[in-house]
Amino acid sequence: SDLRMPLVWFYALGAVGASVAALLGALRAIELARGQHPQVGGVAAAADSPLLLVGDSIPDPIFAELFRLQAAVTILGGPASVSANVANGLAIWGPVTRLAGDDRYETSAAISAHSFDPGVAVAYIASGLVFPDALSGAPVAGKQAAPMLLTKDAELPDALSAELARLRPRSV
């Protein structure tokens, strides 16, 4: 059956996160991002996937739960956000997809391009320099199955302009 759930945040804190994952049962996909960058939560919510926030490693109980679930893993961010060691550790049970760009702005555009078709109702834009802006907007973006794109304070990055042109949102 189609698993529909609200965004679930798994903080990589050992058995607590693993216990929450066990309650969800079978999953089709899991999104993985750096613990300091949970603004990508809207993508996980739109995909009906949990978002696992990690550091430089995955605690053993979380790893065991991921192994048990056997869900596809998509890493949201480059190697500076989620290390190659974490990605390699996940690859033992299948391919791991990484969505990233040269910086946070390109990464937000790459995640959006992979996750959202043109013609979305709305696209959200938040500062890529002020963490709480994107963090507070991510649940709204997720609930509306809308992308959350990051921008600079004084200019619109080229990657963001190109992604907005591709998305053609009715509202920004």
Side-chain angles (χ1 to χ4, degrees), residues 59-158:
D60 289 342
I62 297 292
F63 188 83
E65 194 59 27
L66 287 170
F67 189 80
R68 184 189 73 79
L69 293 170
Q70 296 289 304
V73 175
T74 300
I75 296 174
L76 306 175
S81 294
V82 177
S83 73
N85 287 339
V86 169
N88 293 340
L90 295 169
I92 65 167
W93 67 77
V96 174
T97 303
R98 183 185 291 272
L99 302 177
D102 288 340
D103 57 30
R104 66 188 69 195
Y105 312 106
E106 288 184 12
T107 296
S108 72
I111 292 168
S112 173
H114 180 270
S115 306
F116 299 97
D117 293 326
V120 295
V122 63
Y124 288 91
I125 298 176
S127 171
L129 300 174
V130 182
F131 172 75
D133 289 357
L135 178 61
S136 62
V140 175
K143 185 168 176 66
Q144 294 182 5
M148 168 66 71
L149 298 163
L150 301 179
T151 189
K152 297 178 181 179
D153 287 341
E155 67 179 287
L156 211 59
D158 291 342

Side-chain angles (χ1 to χ4, degrees), residues 29-46:
I30 294 170
E31 312 295 333
L32 194 78
R34 180 91 180 164
Q36 291 97 323
H37 305 294
Q39 67 269 17
V40 296
V43 172

